[in-house]
């Protein structure tokens, strides 16, 4: 299993990369390579040109400005996992990254690569959806920003034009004291999730939920925000019954099935995992005094 | 003065220094001048004919040296198929693979052409350019449906998919079923998986035109079988075909098999006059390396009120896959393994071996036994459930008592000898396992956990395993003129550290340090005859041969020294590489000097009766199999909402007689259990109805990882066998054999509140949830 | 497709030794090590990024050698199993612990496991058993059942702790 031949190009700057991407035929960007190289080794993907973004230092980095986070496309998964700021301000990201691959793949894998590859079970897609992130795409034509809701176009097909590079993803942080949880079901650590759930919520000074976000991964082409569940949670006091009902609602969602994992099974797991995720998120949330 | 005794000690492995520093020499590591690399063009269809094979484009690709299809192979290979390894009259249709398929392919991955190029990359580029005009045919899927009337046939010239049929049994089965109070029936379906050594297969060959001889390196467990296959295919004498195994990165059964690539690569090397290598990649391994374990059992037990089994009867359908390289050995082993440690009043099984359009099946760690143990142990559990008797008690009542040894079961084993269990204490084995597992107090743990909404279960798996099969495995021991001891053997390790164990046995007999012993393995040029590493047979066979040959060499050493010192042989001893006169300041002479003397010193006359060699060969031929046994107890937790199974505790009682190196046996057991856990809850090779494989990467076919495998609590019992001079039995497969039975029983036990039965393995989380849903009962808590 | 073979000259330091070599663009780092410069200690068990046998250290970090291109290692320091022994040729701490604990059988997975653990224990000398098992979750060993590998890693961690105390 050796890749078909291609020509390798090293990009040093974003301009370099967009220039090459605009001018070369059948070209593909290489970021962490942890999915792409495997697919090229299997000859599922064959390209004529491979443009390496790894040397583009301006694409890497975590920037937090007050309540806004910006992650450069080439930020490594390990860098995020080890960032103290992320751990404190957005702990759900750290929790989610714990499910992403293994030490060896997190050392190379990047945020942008994961979002651009758009595996249905991509944890970072789930995170982006949980935070209503915006994705910035750059080409020789300029820059454009796509909201995560408009980003998935189909199975492993993101809303990226052939000449565009995913340069960064940005989103607003949740307030201190928010509850969070990320969990996923896979038989082995680091495998593609059958179902993953991310949830965040805040409690007001009466202990009622005043903000909630719940997302499923692995069940559809892209992450699925459970808007009906979120609405049903607002104004309620966390309880076993409440979260049990949330699980049942999640299980009503259409889900994909394939030869190995059925849609019904995904629903069953989603039911349990939404309940468990919300239960834990609520337990972690501190009541916020609005006084 | 007491000398160091190596046998029985956990001495460090002689293999490790090289392997730990990257100096191992695996097949793909070999560097031969002018070596070419090969890739195969393989069928994307489970069953198809092809008319036109256009290789013109491929030939013109950069780096390509040659492209061969079936008709381009040497004349001597035309019309030939690979040698059937174990013929048997029960086989109605003994069909094996062609080196390259000539007009019909019968499983996905079957090769139709080979590309030889300067690099593997280029060979793969060219393989994409071969254009095949496929004419897909209906395919035989699962072995159960393949035997139904009107099912598609696996080979277009056959009328049905029956490969072999036989029955075996003993006792008056009809009487048992007439008299029994209870008839308990069940259907069991174990699934396919495979060995997946971390190193895939590979072959490398050189043809020497001057002496018209092959030298072939193969990542195989059985170089002598490969030699037989090549000899048969090319019509050459044995001494012109030398097979050498480099370091082998795991075997587990599937490398104990002669493969088409082992014919095609030498042919290419011969035609091109250059070394040619093919290294299997993991995708090819998923498609073309043999697998095992698809079976369908329908069993009925005749049982009295107390749970005593008066009779067991039924049928077994065994999936052969598309060809029969190993004949009908596995279902035969399955059928003879079922009674296990139990005294069944009578037994009768009708076996049908079915062709399907899937990759052929050959022995895989356990070789038909894990399935047999699964059905027998699950039947014991079911009897307990139906009659409200504790499953451990059902087993206790039916055990062959220790004082019945040697015990003649009434069946004939695969070696043609009657099944006679030599030694073992089965009731005690289970007792020890239960005690260590806290079986008696488990109901309390289970109840307490259930109160917290956690589902715990416990399960038992007992087994008896015929090991150490003949016909033989030889050893030659030679004292070299530098004083070192060379051991040559047909044994071919793939991680079992045979070099270490055989050196231990030899060193003890010759009074040298194991570091003074060089063990040469897996080379037909150094050891002309051998059978191979399978069926947990090497320590028994090769080990015994090493011992016998070492003793003979020792005798020669003593005899020479006795002549030299003019003393009795009894007055001499072998110590530290010397032969010396016993007592305080006795004279001594080094092995090296003695070896030099025998190699002929000018003017020196050999003492009377001494031949000019310090060497001996022995071929130990065991009279019959020797039977290892053991008991496993698994404690698990199951999440009924997801079907996730977590193994909380795993106890193994293992009896393989005397032990040469305890840590090596520990490794075989722990590693074997890991494999068994895979077979119980993870590893399922999935095919669709048309026999297309759906799990062809490690992302889909799940192998056990460090986080899921518990440290087994291993207890050793030692019932030495009188059947070989070392008193040893095989240890390589016992870890795997009962694990699916024990774990699946534990899962079922944990899910008792849902009232489900599990009759398949592996049992994956999704299936557990489906069974719970299907049972539809309330779980009675919350 | 652009014509011809695409190759590049790369400069890497492998196990402390500077190397300049031409390599095809499409060669993985593992293929480069094995086929171009003859360091066959790094193994390929799957080439689809799951088994971990190909793990090497690039600038000290464990990466999959089958998922990184050789040309991407330009200017990097690469460490393989051949570079883990002590300067005097004796086995390194972890290698010795593997020998003492019977942490290998066929030895095919061993290169990837040694490199993974070398980096992991350096970064996490206080690692406990579950953490070590998680760190190993990207390396498949078919032979051992892992217990002896974990034992070796824990013994080295304990030794490192002792050395710091
Ligand atoms: S060979 Fe790289 S992960 Fe398996
Ligand atoms: S020692 Fe053989 S795979 Fe690990």
């Amino acid at each position: 299993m050796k890749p078909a031949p291609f020509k390798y190009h090293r990009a040093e700057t974003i301009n370099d990369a967009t220039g090459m991407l605009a001018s070369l035929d059948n070209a593909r960007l290489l970021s962490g390579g942890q999915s792409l190289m495997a697919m090229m080794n299997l000859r599922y993907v064959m390209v004529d040109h491979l443009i390496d973004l790894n040397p583009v230092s301006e694409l890497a980095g975590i920037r937090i400005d007050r309540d806004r986070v910006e992650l450069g496309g080439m930020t490594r998964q390990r860098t995020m996992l080890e960032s103290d700021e992320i751990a404190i301000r957005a702990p759900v990201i750290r929790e989610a990254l714990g499910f992403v691959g293994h030490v060896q793949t997190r050392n190379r894998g990047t945020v942008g690569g994961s979002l651009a590859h758009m595996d249905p079970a991509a944890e970072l897609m789930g995170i982006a959806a949980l935070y209503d992130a915006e994705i910035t795409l750059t080409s020789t034509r300029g820059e454009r920003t796509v909201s995560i809701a408009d980003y998935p176009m189909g199975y492993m097909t993101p809303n990226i034009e052939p000449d565009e590079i995913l340069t960064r993803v940005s989103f607003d942080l949740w307030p201190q004291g928010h509850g969070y949880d990320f969990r996923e079901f896979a038989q082995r650590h680091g495998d593609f999730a059958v179902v993953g759930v991310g949830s965040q919520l805040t409690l007001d000074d009466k202990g009622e939920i005043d903000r909630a976000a719940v997302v499923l991964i692995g069940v559809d082409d892209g992450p699925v925000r459970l808007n009906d569940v979120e609405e049903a949670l607002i104004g309620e006091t966390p309880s076993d019954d409440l979260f049990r009902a949330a699980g049942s609602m999640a299980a009503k969602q259409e889900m994909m099935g394939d030869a190995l994992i059925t849609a019904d099974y995904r629903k069953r797991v989603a039911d349990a995992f939404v309940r468990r995720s919300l239960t834990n998120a609520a337990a972690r949330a501190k009541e916020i005094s609005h006084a | 003065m007491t000398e160091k005794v190596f046998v029985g000690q956990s001495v460090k492995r002689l293999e490790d220094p090289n392997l730990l520093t990257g100096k191992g020499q695996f097949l793909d590591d070999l560097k031969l001048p002018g070596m070419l690399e090969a890739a195969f063009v393989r069928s994307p269809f489970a069953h198809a004919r092809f008319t036109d094979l256009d290789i013109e484009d491929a030939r013109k690709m950069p780096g390509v040296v040659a492209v061969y299809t079936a008709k381009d192979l040497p004349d001597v290979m035309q019309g030939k198929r690979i040698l059937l390894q174990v013929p048997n009259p029960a086989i109605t249709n003994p069909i094996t693979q062609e080196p390259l398929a000539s007009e019909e392919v019968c499983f996905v991955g079957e090769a139709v052409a080979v590309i030889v190029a300067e690099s593997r990359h280029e060979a793969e580029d060219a393989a994409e350019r071969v254009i095949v005009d496929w004419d897909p045919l209906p395919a035989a899927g699962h072995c159960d449906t393949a035997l139904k009337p009107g099912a598609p046939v696996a080979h277009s010239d056959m009328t049905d998919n029956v490969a072999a049929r036989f029955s075996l049994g003993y006792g008056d089965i009809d009487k048992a079923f007439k008299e029994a109070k209870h008839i308990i029936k069940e259907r069991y379906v174990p699934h396919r998986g495979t060995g997946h050594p971390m190193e895939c297969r590979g072959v490398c060959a050189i043809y020497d035109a001057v002496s018209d001889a092959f030298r072939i390196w193969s990542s195989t467990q059985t170089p002598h079988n490969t030699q037989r296959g090549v000899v048969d295919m090319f019509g050459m004498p044995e001494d012109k075909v030398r097979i050498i195994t480099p370091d082998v990165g795991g075997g587990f059964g599937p490398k104990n098999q002669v493969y088409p690539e082992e014919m095609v690569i030498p042919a290419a090397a011969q035609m091109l006059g250059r070394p040619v290598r093919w290294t299997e990649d993991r995708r090819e391994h998923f498609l073309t390396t043999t697998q095992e374990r698809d079976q369908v059992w329908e069993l009925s037990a005749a049982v009295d009120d107390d749970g005593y089994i008066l009779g067991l009867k039924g049928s077994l359908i065994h999936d052969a896959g598309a060809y029969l390289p190993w004949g009908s050995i596995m279902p035969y082993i399955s059928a003879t393994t079922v009674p296990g440690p139990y005294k069944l009043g009578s037994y009768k099984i009708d076996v049908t071996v079915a062709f399907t359009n899937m990759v052929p099946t050959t022995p895989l760690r356990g070789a038909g036994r894990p399935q047999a143990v699964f059905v027998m142990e699950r039947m014991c559990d079911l009897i307990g459930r139906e009659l409200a008797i504790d499953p451990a008690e059902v087993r206790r009542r039916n055990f062959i008592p220790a004082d019945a040894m040697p015990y003649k079961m009434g069946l004939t084993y695969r070696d043609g000898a009657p099944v006679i269990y030599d030694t073992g204490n089965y009731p005690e084995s289970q007792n020890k396992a239960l005690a260590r597992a806290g079986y008696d107090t488990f109901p309390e743990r289970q109840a307490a956990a259930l109160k917290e909404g956690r589902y715990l279960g416990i399960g038992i798996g007992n087994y008896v395993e015929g090991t150490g099969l003949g016909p033989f495995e030889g050893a030659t021991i030679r004292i070299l003129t530098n004083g070192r001891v060379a051991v040559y053997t047909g044994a071919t390790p793939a991680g079992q550290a045979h070099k270490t164990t055989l050196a231990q046995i030899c060193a003890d007999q010759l009074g040298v340090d194991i570091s003074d012993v060089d063990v040469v393995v897996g080379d037909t040029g150094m050891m002309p005859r051998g059978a191979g590493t399978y069926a947990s047979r090497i320590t028994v066979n090769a080990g015994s041969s090493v011992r016998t040959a070492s003793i003979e060499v020792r005798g020669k050493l003593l005899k020479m020294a006795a002549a030299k010192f003019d003393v009795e042989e009894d007055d001499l001893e072998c110590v530290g590489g010397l032969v010396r006169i016993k007592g305080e300041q006795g004279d001594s002479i080094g092995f090296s000097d003695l070896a030099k003397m025998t190699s002929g010193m000018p003017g020196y006359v050999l003492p009377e009766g001494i031949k000019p060699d310090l060497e001996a060969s022995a071929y130990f031929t065991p009279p019959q199999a020797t039977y290892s046994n053991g008991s496993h107890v698994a404690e698990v937790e199951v999440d009924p909402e997801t079907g996730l199974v977590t193994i909380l505790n795993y106890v193994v009682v293992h009896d393989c007689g005397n032990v040469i190196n305890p840590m090596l046996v520990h490794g075989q057991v722990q590693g074997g259990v890991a494999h068994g856990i895979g077979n119980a809850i993870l590893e399922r090779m999935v095919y669709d109805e048309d026999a297309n494989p759906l799990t062809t990467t490690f992302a889909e076919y799940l192998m056990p990882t460090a986080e899921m495998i518990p440290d087994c609590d291993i207890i050793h019992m030692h019932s030495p066998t009188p059947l070989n001079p070392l008193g040893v039995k095989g240890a390589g497969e016992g870890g795997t054999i009962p694990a699916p039975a024990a774990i699946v029983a534990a899962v079922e036990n944990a899910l008792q509140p849902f009232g489900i039965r599990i009759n398949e393995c592996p049992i994956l989380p999704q299936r557990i949830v489906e069974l719970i849903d299907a049972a539809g009962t309330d779980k009675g808590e919350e | 497709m652009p014509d011809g073979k695409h190759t590049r000259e790369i400069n890497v330091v492998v196990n402390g030794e500077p190397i300049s070599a031409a390599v095809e663009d499409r060669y993985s780092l593992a293929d480069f090590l094995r086929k171009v410069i003859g360091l066959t200690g790094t193994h390929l068990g799957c080439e689809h990024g799951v088994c971990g046998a190909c793990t090497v250290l690039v600038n000290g970090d464990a990466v999959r050698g089958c998922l990184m291109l050789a040309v991407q290692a330009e200017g990097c320091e690469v460490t393989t199993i051949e570079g883990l022994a002590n300067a005097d040729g004796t086995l390194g701490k972890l290698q010795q612990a593997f020998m003492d604990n019977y942490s290998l059988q066929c030895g095919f997975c061993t290169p990837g496991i040694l490199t993974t653990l070398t980096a992991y224990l350096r970064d996490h000398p206080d690692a406990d058993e579950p953490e070590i098992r998680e760190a190993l979750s990207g390396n498949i060993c078919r032979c051992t059942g892992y217990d002896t590998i974990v034992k070796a890693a824990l013994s080295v961690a304990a030794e490192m702790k002792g050395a710091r105390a």
Side-chain angles (χ1 to χ4, degrees), chain B residues 120-201:
Chain B
R120 172 68 180 230
H121 291 73
E122 288 164 320
E124 288 187 25
D125 295 345
E128 305 240 310
R129 299 300 181 94
V130 172
I131 302 157
V132 189
D133 193 1
W134 297 108
D135 178 13
L137 298 168
H142 194 268
C143 57
D144 195 18
T145 50
L147 289 179
K148 300 252 151 73
V153 284
H155 296 265
S156 54
D157 59 351
M158 299 188 326
T159 49
D160 64 25
N161 290 312
V162 176
R165 273 191 210 281
F166 58 90
S167 297
L168 46 84
Y170 60 82
D172 191 341
I173 195 81
D174 294 335
K175 182 162 167 267
F177 273 80
K178 216 174 293 157
E179 289 174 359
K181 283 278 184 46
H182 309 272
I183 308 287
I184 296 170
K185 290 188 185 178
E186 192 52 277
R187 175 185 163 91
Y188 298 101
V189 188
H191 297 298
R192 267 187 186 236
T194 189
H196 282 303
M198 293 323 295
E199 183 205 26
C200 296
R201 296 184 291 124

Side-chain angles (χ1 to χ4, degrees), chain A residues 195 197 214-216 219 224 226 228-229 243-255 266-275 278:
Chain A
V195 170
V197 182
V214 187
V215 70
L216 292 178
V219 304
V224 178
L226 299 175
D228 51 347
V229 171
F243 296 145
R244 199 164 287 277
S248 311
M249 261 168 117
K252 298 219 169 68
Q253 196 72 35
E254 278 297 306
M255 294 188 193
R266 289 207 157 88
K267 289 179 185 182
R268 288 291 310 268
V269 176
D271 188 333
F273 269 46
V274 164
R275 186 190 78 236
L278 284 167

Side-chain angles (χ1 to χ4, degrees), chain B residues 302-443:
Chain B
V303 186
D304 73 9
D305 277 338
D306 296 323
Y308 288 93
I309 305 170
L310 310 175
L312 184 71
K313 69 173 181 187
S315 63
L316 159 61
I317 299 172
H318 175 87
D319 168 23
Y323 299 96
L324 269 189
W326 258 86
S328 52
I329 280 296
M330 284 163 297
Y332 197 86
I333 295 175
S334 294
T336 48
T337 300
V338 168
Y342 309 111
K343 207 169 187 160
L344 306 181
S346 54
Y347 175 58
K348 171 90 194 319
I349 188 101
D350 301 315
V351 181
T352 310
V353 182
F355 282 117
T356 61
N357 288 113
M358 295 186 266
V359 70
T361 62
T362 65
L364 160 64
R365 202 171 198 169
R369 297 181 190 88
Q371 301 97 308
V373 169
F374 183 76
V375 303
M376 186 67 229
E377 295 296 299
R378 298 273 49 222
M379 184 54 90
C380 287
D381 292 331
L382 185 59
I383 292 168
R385 191 163 161 162
E386 300 278 310
L387 304 186
I389 305 172
D390 183 276
E393 182 57 28
V394 173
R395 291 167 166 88
R396 221 172 263 136
R397 290 180 190 174
N398 286 287
F399 275 136
I400 297 162
D403 59 15
M405 294 292 164
Y407 176 80
K408 187 164 179 186
M409 193 218 282
L411 291 175
T412 301
Y413 198 51
R414 58 168 285 203
D415 56 4
V419 176
I420 302 173
Y421 294 161
D422 42 350
T423 54
N425 186 339
Y426 309 148
E428 183 60 15
S429 167
Q430 175 171 295
N431 284 345
K432 278 190 165 36
L434 295 179
R436 183 67 72 89
Y439 188 80
D440 289 346
T441 52
F442 177 73

Side-chain angles (χ1 to χ4, degrees), chain B residues 198 249, chain C residues 103-110 113 140-144:
Chain B
M198 293 323 295
Chain C
S103 311
L104 62 158
Q105 288 181 25
C106 76
F108 198 81
C109 68
T110 311
I113 292 186
I140 300 174
C141 173
R142 185 51 140 179
C143 297
T144 62

Side-chain angles (χ1 to χ4, degrees), chain B residues 87-112:
Chain B
N88 185 303
I91 302 171
T92 50
N93 207 339
I95 184 170
T96 61
Q97 254 180 286
E98 295 173 287
L100 290 172
S102 56
E103 51 193 28
E104 182 174 338
V105 288
C106 297
F107 64 91
V108 171
E110 189 164 5
V112 297

Side-chain angles (χ1 to χ4, degrees), chain B residues 274-617:
Chain B
R274 285 175 70 176
V276 179
R277 168 168 56 202
W278 165 74
T279 305
E280 184 188 51
D281 65 35
R282 187 58 62 180
R283 193 182 164 74
E284 291 179 292
H285 192 83
F286 270 103
L287 299 180
T288 68
T289 292
T290 56
Q291 307 174 348
E292 205 211 310
R293 307 226 208 281
D294 259 350
Q295 291 182 340
V296 180
W297 298 73
E298 304 272 1
L299 284 185
S300 311
V303 186
D304 73 9
D305 277 338
D306 296 323
Y308 288 93
I309 305 170
L310 310 175
L312 184 71
K313 69 173 181 187
S315 63
L316 159 61
I317 299 172
H318 175 87
D319 168 23
Y323 299 96
L324 269 189
W326 258 86
S328 52
I329 280 296
M330 284 163 297
Y332 197 86
I333 295 175
S334 294
T336 48
T337 300
V338 168
Y342 309 111
K343 207 169 187 160
L344 306 181
S346 54
Y347 175 58
K348 171 90 194 319
I349 188 101
D350 301 315
V351 181
T352 310
V353 182
F355 282 117
T356 61
N357 288 113
M358 295 186 266
V359 70
T361 62
T362 65
L364 160 64
R365 202 171 198 169
R369 297 181 190 88
Q371 301 97 308
V373 169
F374 183 76
V375 303
M376 186 67 229
E377 295 296 299
R378 298 273 49 222
M379 184 54 90
C380 287
D381 292 331
L382 185 59
I383 292 168
R385 191 163 161 162
E386 300 278 310
L387 304 186
I389 305 172
D390 183 276
E393 182 57 28
V394 173
R395 291 167 166 88
R396 221 172 263 136
R397 290 180 190 174
N398 286 287
F399 275 136
I400 297 162
D403 59 15
M405 294 292 164
Y407 176 80
K408 187 164 179 186
M409 193 218 282
L411 291 175
T412 301
Y413 198 51
R414 58 168 285 203
D415 56 4
V419 176
I420 302 173
Y421 294 161
D422 42 350
T423 54
N425 186 339
Y426 309 148
E428 183 60 15
S429 167
Q430 175 171 295
N431 284 345
K432 278 190 165 36
L434 295 179
R436 183 67 72 89
Y439 188 80
D440 289 346
T441 52
F442 177 73
E444 289 140 48
R445 290 202 289 288
Q446 190 175 36
L450 198 56
K451 278 207 190 95
E452 300 166 14
R454 295 171 56 218
Y455 293 79
L456 305 191
I458 200 161
I460 304 169
N462 293 309
Y463 73 100
V464 177
E465 177 200 2
T467 70
L469 293 188
F472 60 81
E473 200 65 73
T476 297
I477 313 279
R478 184 180 299 150
I479 308 292
L480 305 178
T481 49
N482 60 5
R484 297 185 64 79
V485 183
V487 177
Y488 305 98
T489 165
T492 304
Q496 301 91 337
H498 294 150
K499 289 188 188 180
T500 307
T501 41
L502 298 179
Q504 284 178 265
I505 295 167
C506 175
D508 274 0
Q509 295 306 328
L510 291 177
V512 295
D513 194 76
I514 59 162
S515 62
D516 296 326
V517 182
D518 300 312
V519 182
V520 178
V521 293
D523 183 345
T524 62
M526 305 301 268
M527 193 68 199
R529 280 172 293 278
T533 300
Y534 57 89
S536 302
R537 58 186 298 281
I538 289 304
T539 310
V540 171
N541 287 285
S544 297
S545 297
V546 166
R547 184 175 184 276
T548 306
S550 300
I551 291 172
E552 197 181 328
V553 168
R554 183 157 141 260
K556 291 185 179 185
L557 287 163
L558 295 180
K559 197 165 188 180
M560 282 191 72
K564 169 153 176 85
F565 295 130
D566 198 15
V567 295
E568 294 298 312
E569 286 169 40
D570 281 353
D571 297 331
L572 295 168
E573 59 187 359
C574 287
V575 174
L578 303 169
V579 182
R580 70 172 184 207
I581 300 171
K582 288 179 190 164
E584 279 302 294
Q585 274 135 10
D587 272 343
S588 67
I589 180 166
F591 286 9
S592 160
D593 292 331
L594 288 167
K596 282 178 193 143
M597 281 159 63
T598 56
S599 62
M601 284 209 288
Y604 174 83
V605 181
L606 289 174
E608 182 146 345
I610 300 284
K611 295 207 194 76
D613 68 344
L614 270 179
E615 141 172 3
S617 294

